[in-house]
Amino acid sequence: MQPDQTIFSMNETLKTINDRRSIRAFAKEEISDKQIRILLQAANEAPSAHNQQSWRFVVLKGQKKVGLAELVTEAASRFSRPAQTLLRMSARSIASAPVVIAVANSGYLIDHGTELFTVEKAMAHDFFRTMEIQSSAAAVQNMLLAATSLGLATVWLGIMFLIKDEVLAFLGEPEGEFMAVVPVGHAARESGSGPQKEPFGMKVKYLD
Ligand SMILES: Cc1cc2nc3c(=O)[nH]c(=O)nc-3n(C[C@H](O)[C@H](O)[C@H](O)COP(=O)(O)O)c2cc1C
């Protein structure tokens, strides 16, 4: 079945989902504290396993944000390509965005999951870690969609997992687990439609 693009004009939520694109270069324009609070509140509304909400958000601006960009640039030189290139690109996105929001798992569910829910011991760590990652990923996506709805640009920087221990220490979240670093701002230039999505029909089967 051919994708029907008209569904995205059916309502604001579908339009926002369709409009969201990864933007990696940002204009100098600031974003307001109110906009930041909206993004954090939207992220915090995400579903979470056992409703544990075990995510942490760290908002970086000013010199702290510059420090993160420097850390990533320095770390990049220890890697060969393509990781080096992707880390350097990440550093440039961080440097150009007015604000960066980092998301980490608190690790609470991993440490205390078995007190909430009985799972076979051999599986418990994997189970609760996966649940925690999936919950935080939902929070990140909420944040990206909320940003799009406000006319803001974002990109989810997952490559920084390669230097996660340094990044978590820098964020003051050494106990946590790295999820995402998201530069937020206004797009430096008009964004195109982004990479084409494969038709969803290729990925679906219906069982009846
Ligand atoms: C888990 C995850 C990790 C990602 N990591 C990076 C990254 O490190 N650097 C980057 O430029 N984009 C990253 N992206 C963005 C993807 O490259 C992007 O979503 C994809 O190319 C599709 O483009 P779109 O977001 O515009 O639809 C990541 C996206 C996800 C979901």
Side-chain angles (χ1 to χ4, degrees):
M1 196 193 297
Q2 278 306 306
D4 172 7
Q5 284 302 118
T6 65
I7 68 147
F8 296 119
S9 52
M10 279 172 61
N11 65 44
E12 285 299 316
T13 305
L14 290 168
K15 181 177 180 329
T16 300
I17 289 170
N18 189 49
D19 285 350
R20 185 214 53 78
R21 285 293 161 257
S22 298
I23 306 294
R24 299 174 175 84
F26 299 86
K28 284 220 178 309
E29 199 179 335
E30 292 295 327
I31 69 171
S32 68
D33 288 346
K34 182 173 180 193
Q35 286 174 315
I36 297 169
R37 280 199 303 277
I38 293 170
L39 302 188
L40 297 170
Q41 198 171 334
N44 198 51
E45 284 302 315
S48 65
H50 305 281
N51 192 27
Q52 285 306 294
Q53 306 170 40
S54 52
W55 42 62
R56 304 264 311 147
F57 306 114
V58 184
V59 180
L60 296 122
K61 297 201 271 190
Q63 277 312 303
K64 203 64 189 171
K65 186 195 66 96
V66 172
L68 180 64
E70 285 169 0
L71 182 155
V72 180
T73 305
E74 275 169 39
S77 58
R78 300 200 306 266
F79 289 83
S80 47
R81 286 183 197 155
Q84 183 182 90
T85 311
L86 289 168
L87 284 167
R88 288 202 171 129
M89 279 170 59
S90 298
R92 282 198 293 274
S93 296
I94 292 167
S96 75
V99 173
V100 168
I101 303 178
V103 184
N105 294 328
S106 67
Y108 184 88
L109 192 57
I110 300 171
D111 293 341
H112 297 276
T114 48
E115 295 159 27
L116 303 162
F117 188 83
T118 309
V119 176
E120 200 187 314
K121 204 163 184 250
M123 198 187 222
H125 185 268
D126 246 17
F127 175 75
F128 289 115
R129 181 163 182 264
T130 303
M131 293 302 108
E132 199 162 270
I133 291 171
Q134 292 180 355
S135 305
S136 295
V140 177
Q141 179 70 353
N142 266 16
M143 180 156 58
L144 304 188
L145 292 175
T148 303
S149 78
L150 298 177
L152 298 173
T154 55
V155 60
W156 178 331
L157 298 177
I159 191 72
M160 286 171 57
F161 186 88
L162 295 178
I163 52 168
K164 62 185 169 60
D165 293 339
E166 287 157 83
V167 172
L168 288 168
F170 183 86
L171 298 174
E173 297 289 323
E175 304 296 317
E177 185 178 43
F178 176 89
M179 268 304 300
V181 166
V182 182
V184 187
H186 294 271
R189 47 193 162 270
E190 190 84 1
S191 63
S193 53
Q196 281 288 309
K197 306 296 174 187
E198 292 171 338
F200 72 92
M202 293 168 59
K203 300 159 199 272
V204 181
K205 68 179 175 189
Y206 295 90
L207 303 175
D208 202 347

